[in-house]
Amino acid sequence: QVQLVESGGGLVQAGRSLSLSCAASGSIIFSINTLEWYRQAPGKQRELVAAITSFGTTDYSDPVKGRFTISRDNGRHTVTLQMSSLKPEDTAVYYCKIRKYDYWGQGTQVTVSS
């Protein structure tokens, strides 16, 4: 089993920064897994925002490139999404995911006001 717990969301003004964290647990070897952040806005499909491989290579969706940074701490079994220059369009529930597993946590709400 895999458990994922997202945290760090909140209500912020446009232009501000926010850092999200996800703690993973379960019978997995964390360090060898690709980790991902998704988000889902109301009425929209869930979309992949960022990913980081076991080698540390990263990938970002076009809307967040240059503003978001994904990182991982294998010792703490966490993956972080540092978000800067937030826009109202970033408003969504953010989820972390281990790519290999089809499992989702509860997500954390990010609301960006104009």
Side-chain angles (χ1 to χ4, degrees):
Q1 74 280 10
V2 177
Q3 295 104 45
L4 301 170
V5 180
E6 301 93 341
S7 63
L11 174 63
V12 298
Q13 271 190 314
R16 299 290 200 272
S17 297
L18 199 63
S19 184
L20 308 181
S21 294
C22 172
S25 62
S27 300
I28 59 168
I29 304 175
F30 184 85
S31 62
I32 67 172
N33 281 275
T34 294
L35 309 172
E36 301 172 320
W37 281 97
Y38 285 76
R39 68 185 182 186
Q40 187 167 29
K44 305 294 184 181
Q45 291 184 327
R46 189 171 297 180
E47 63 172 340
L48 179 65
V49 173
I52 183 167
T53 71
S54 61
F55 303 102
T57 56
T58 58
D59 191 32
Y60 302 92
S61 64
D62 287 338
V64 309
K65 282 182 180 176
R67 300 188 298 119
F68 290 12
T69 301
I70 186 172
S71 61
R72 65 192 296 161
D73 187 329
N74 291 333
R76 295 173 54 223
H77 290 199
T78 59
V79 57
T80 297
L81 187 68
Q82 175 62 235
M83 306 181 294
S84 63
S85 302
L86 283 163
K87 305 174 180 180
E89 306 92 270
D90 297 319
T91 295
V93 178
Y94 284 72
Y95 302 88
C96 63
K97 184 179 185 293
I98 303 173
R99 189 180 188 278
K100 182 178 179 180
Y101 301 94
D102 188 19
Y103 181 88
W104 305 90
Q106 292 293 320
T108 186
Q109 175 72 49
V110 174
T111 303
V112 184
S113 62
S114 301

